[in-house]
């Protein structure tokens, strides 16, 4: 797991997770998400950046470990982007719709928009990981 391409990919996807999350959910989709909040109070809140960084690092490590096993040594940008799309569907739509069914954080439109944002987020993360693993292996 700890070869050169994996370490570089973890660092790059961690940076994307931290900065890309800000770009996608705050700058691009922030007003949309905020306009579809449910009745829950205190959503969203000001981020706790050290805890956010830990979460982004965990996502980067898990994403890369699972991607490497899934790719089976055959790395491509396209394959990695598709992997990212599936992770985005799992997180964004699967978990998002379960959250919609069990909480009042987002309405259905917000849930679906947030799901799409997750698909884009993880597709880009996959593209980054695939590029690095393909070029460095």
């Amino acid at each position: 797991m700890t070869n050169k391409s994996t370490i570089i990919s973890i660092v790059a996807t961690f940076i994307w997770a931290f900065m890309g999350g800000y770009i996608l959910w705050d700058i691009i989709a922030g007003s949309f998400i905020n306009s579809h909040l449910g009745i829950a109070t205190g959503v969203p809140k000001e981020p706790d950046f050290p805890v956010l960084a830990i979460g982004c690092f965990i996502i980067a490590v898990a994403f890369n470990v699972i991607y490497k096993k899934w790719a089976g040594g055959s790395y491509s940008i396209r394959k990695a982007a598709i992997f990212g799309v599936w992770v985005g569907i799992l997180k964004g739509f699967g978990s998002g719709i379960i959250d919609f069914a069990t909480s009042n954080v987002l309405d259905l439109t917000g849930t679906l928009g947030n799901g799409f944002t997750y698909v884009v987020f993880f597709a880009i993360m996959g593209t980054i990981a695939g590029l690095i693993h393909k070029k460095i292996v």
Side-chain angles (χ1 to χ4, degrees):
M1 177 193 126
T2 56
N3 60 27
K4 183 178 177 181
S5 67
T6 302
I7 292 169
I8 293 170
S9 185
I10 287 170
V11 170
T13 55
F14 164 74
I15 292 167
W16 167 251
F18 197 81
M19 298 306 296
Y22 170 71
I23 292 166
L24 290 176
W25 277 281
D26 196 33
I27 295 173
I28 295 174
S31 62
F32 173 80
I33 297 293
N34 286 333
S35 70
H36 291 283
L37 292 174
I39 59 173
T41 59
V43 179
K45 70 175 193 170
E46 287 299 315
D48 180 340
F49 286 106
V51 176
L52 179 62
I54 291 167
C56 290
F57 182 75
I58 291 168
I59 286 172
V61 170
F63 187 92
N64 278 281
V65 169
I66 296 168
Y67 168 65
K68 281 191 73 174
K69 291 194 182 295
W70 183 78
S74 173
Y75 304 113
S76 75
I77 296 168
R78 181 180 182 278
K79 191 175 194 178
I82 290 169
F83 175 76
V85 166
W86 281 110
V87 172
I89 290 169
L90 174 72
K91 172 64 176 130
F93 290 109
S95 293
I97 291 172
I98 290 169
D99 289 345
F100 172 75
T102 60
S103 68
N104 289 315
V105 175
L106 290 171
D107 64 18
L108 184 58
T109 302
T111 298
L112 297 176
N114 196 37
F116 176 76
T117 306
Y118 269 108
V119 170
V120 171
F121 175 80
F122 281 110
I124 293 170
M125 182 176 281
T127 301
I128 293 166
L131 178 66
I132 292 168
H133 285 291
K134 183 173 176 61
K135 297 291 183 191
I136 295 179
V137 168

